[in-house]
Amino acid sequence: MDYYYNEQKPQRVLILAADTGEYDAGASVDELKELIKTAGGETAGVMIQTLPCVNSVSYIGSGKLAEAAEFAAANDIDLTVCDCELTPTQQRVLTDTLKTDVVDRTVLILDIFALNARTNEGKLQVELAQLKYSLPRLSGKGASMSRLGGGIGTRGPGETKLESDRRHIRRRIHALEEQLSALETRRRRRRERRKKDGVTTAALVGYTNVGKSTLLNTLTNSSVLAENKLFATLDPTSRALKLPDGREIMLIDTVGFISRLPHFLVEAFKSTLEEATDADLLIVMCDASDPECEEKLDITLEVLKELCTEEKPIVTVYNKCDIAHNFIAPYSKNAVHISAQNNIGITNLLNCICGALPDNRRRLSVLIPYRLSALEAKLRSSGRLFAEEYREDGIFMDIELGFNDAKEISEYIVPQNKNEDEQ
């Protein structure tokens, strides 16, 4: 499905769109231009036709189609991209009329996914999504393309190539689903281990290309791939983050969302998105410099709602505030303006994360024997120390600890009345 990438020169692309009023066609086409750019293409023209409904045969009307064919011939168009999901009939008619390769929005997204998948799981997910898209679109109909039956004139070699292809694809889909199921089980066990170990997780979620990977790099001093392209991140990446209050959390970067993402694509990347469903905190990012910022934020929240994450605490991050002119975000206690690239507003964000995280820590007074100096060092690194005093019978610490750490040193906790008596 690699129609777009060309190291010598980008393919010249014509965009066709039918504006039926179901969504903002102009904004959708702008998004499609970015997808084409990410895939390595160059948008040479855009044609949008207002219609009461999409033409079931040719997608757009015959007059507009003839106009598009003239434009394609006169401007050396290599590829036509339609801002919808085409039926096999529509794709065939458009290809025959325009004399160019024709793909739809879904194939374009799949191509970008294939370009950016780096881990084994990501590649399996992309292949599964491509096969599920291709299966109902295998061309060919009629008796000549079906299994030959019994009787005079119907005997023959048996299974046709079309049926063989379908059978092969179904087998491959089944094999991929089994492999992904095993990887999903492994990922689920890792999440369960994190919860058992008391690891707090925060997931970076949001529309594609809003700066999630850049923020992950800024907060954790890491070097995760961060590019100004759609879907640069397909595979979840985790990094440890030490918060100002002494807590350490696991920060997880996730695949970006996009409007009108086909359901089967969401299903294919379900195991990746489950990192968001199991997180203790959602850091929802949006691009403050984008005119469609609020609309895309709504899309993100809608997808999260479908993933059953409504009850989770959310911190809303308006990124790229340094280039967002005249943007005024709605006031919210758990909303911050930042520039991840230029390190603006990061302190406010960290404090906001601290305030929004579930309160699973306790402030305790403990007395650690001198023979357990290693334990004292561990508590100092994992907790928030308010006071420390070297006493005759051990090291006294006034410290805030996570639930698991507090459970581990329960025998060294100083009862409140005893502590007051000693002081």
Side-chain angles (χ1 to χ4, degrees):
M1 271 186 204
D2 188 4
Y3 293 101
Y4 318 103
Y5 184 63
N6 187 323
E7 290 186 354
Q8 268 109 43
K9 72 170 189 164
Q11 285 185 287
R12 291 175 59 76
V13 180
L14 169 64
I15 295 176
L16 294 183
D19 183 2
T20 60
E22 291 181 24
Y23 52 86
D24 187 336
S28 186
V29 165
D30 288 341
E31 191 172 80
L32 200 58
K33 287 180 184 177
E34 286 300 313
L35 287 167
I36 290 167
K37 180 181 176 183
T38 299
E42 175 186 79
T43 301
V46 176
M47 291 187 176
I48 303 176
Q49 184 178 29
T50 303
L51 294 169
C53 62
V54 169
N55 188 301
S56 61
V57 175
S58 57
Y59 178 54
I60 55 175
S62 57
K64 182 63 73 173
L65 184 58
E67 184 184 337
E70 288 180 16
F71 182 90
N75 292 275
D76 298 321
I77 298 298
D78 303 302
L79 176 72
T80 301
V81 178
C82 296
D83 190 28
C84 70
E85 191 167 306
L86 296 173
T87 65
T89 298
Q90 289 170 334
Q91 185 166 13
R92 186 177 65 253
V93 169
L94 288 169
T95 301
D96 292 344
T97 306
L98 300 175
K99 310 301 181 190
T100 70
D101 287 328
V102 177
V103 298
D104 58 26
R105 181 186 181 91
T106 302
V107 171
L108 181 60
I109 293 172
L110 283 171
D111 188 76
I112 295 170
F113 279 16
L115 194 65
N116 291 337
R118 289 171 175 81
T119 66
N120 182 48
E121 183 174 9
K123 291 173 182 176
L124 291 175
Q125 288 171 326
V126 169
E127 185 182 354
L128 177 61
Q130 287 176 327
L131 291 175
K132 285 188 172 180
Y133 176 86
S134 300
L135 183 59
R137 289 171 170 77
L138 288 178
S139 60
K141 293 181 181 179
S144 63
M145 301 301 292
S146 63
R147 178 178 294 276
L148 297 178
I152 297 172
T154 62
R155 299 182 182 92
E159 191 174 47
T160 65
K161 186 176 186 307
L162 175 64
E163 289 173 333
S164 176
D165 287 346
R166 281 180 177 152
R167 198 159 45 82
H168 171 74
I169 288 176
R170 288 192 183 101
R171 278 202 307 264
R172 182 60 182 158
I173 286 175
H174 181 68
L176 288 171
E177 286 176 337
E178 285 190 335
Q179 291 181 64
L180 285 169
S181 178
L183 290 170
E184 188 176 339
T185 300
R186 203 179 314 165
R187 188 189 296 279
R188 186 177 65 250
R189 285 173 181 162
R190 280 204 301 267
R191 290 196 296 266
E192 289 171 354
R193 171 62 65 180
R194 283 182 198 152
K195 287 189 178 298
K196 186 176 179 181
D197 292 342
V199 177
T200 302
T201 57
L204 289 165
V205 295
Y207 219 75
T208 181
N209 200 34
V210 296
K212 297 187 295 297
S213 297
T214 302
L215 180 59
L216 180 75
N217 289 336
T218 299
L219 292 176
T220 63
N221 295 317
S222 54
S223 55
V224 173
L225 175 68
E227 295 183 295
N228 186 27
K229 291 182 178 180
L230 303 186
F231 298 112
T233 300
L234 284 184
D235 309 298
T237 307
S238 304
R239 294 290 184 273
L241 171 64
K242 188 76 175 274
L243 296 174
D245 63 3
R247 283 185 279 184
E248 188 170 284
I249 66 172
M250 189 68 70
L251 192 62
I252 304 171
D253 190 10
T254 63
V255 64
F257 303 143
I258 196 167
S259 62
R260 295 160 50 225
L261 191 64
H263 182 71
F264 76 92
L265 266 181
V266 175
E267 281 297 309
F269 285 82
K270 188 177 179 182
S271 62
T272 304
L273 295 171
E274 279 178 354
E275 294 290 352
T277 65
D278 278 0
D280 299 291
L281 172 71
L282 298 176
I283 302 174
V284 179
M285 292 187 66
C286 52
D287 180 356
S289 68
D290 187 342
E292 306 291 327
C293 175
E294 290 299 325
E295 289 79 0
K296 290 179 179 179
L297 178 59
D298 290 340
I299 290 169
T300 301
L301 295 174
E302 189 61 36
V303 174
L304 291 173
K305 185 178 179 181
E306 290 176 12
L307 293 171
C308 302
T309 60
E310 293 177 89
E311 304 302 318
K312 293 186 182 295
I314 290 177
V315 171
T316 305
V317 178
Y318 292 92
N319 190 28
K320 308 183 186 181
C321 65
D322 53 328
I323 58 172
H325 305 296
N326 304 319
F327 175 75
I328 302 175
Y331 173 77
S332 171
K333 184 178 78 170
N334 285 344
V336 290
H337 286 207
I338 70 162
S339 170
Q341 190 167 27
N342 295 314
N343 209 19
I344 298 171
I346 299 302
T347 300
N348 288 340
L349 171 59
L350 290 172
N351 290 331
C352 193
I353 292 172
C354 291
L357 278 173
D359 186 12
N360 60 353
R361 295 167 67 85
R362 297 171 59 194
R363 183 169 176 175
L364 303 167
S365 296
V366 297
L367 190 64
I368 306 298
Y370 285 111
R371 60 185 170 80
L372 298 178
S373 57
L375 177 59
E376 182 263 345
K378 177 186 175 184
L379 297 180
R380 183 192 294 274
S381 65
S382 63
R384 184 182 184 188
L385 187 64
F386 294 97
E388 187 176 40
E389 182 183 337
Y390 289 85
R391 298 182 177 178
E392 188 175 324
D393 51 351
I395 305 168
F396 172 81
M397 305 175 77
D398 178 8
I399 191 168
E400 186 179 69
L401 295 170
F403 176 78
N404 280 351
D405 284 330
K407 186 177 178 182
E408 184 181 341
I409 52 93
S410 58
E411 61 183 296
Y412 304 113
I413 295 175
V414 179
Q416 193 66 29
N417 56 358
K418 181 181 178 183
N419 181 30
E420 289 173 354
D421 291 342
E422 288 181 352
Q423 292 180 342

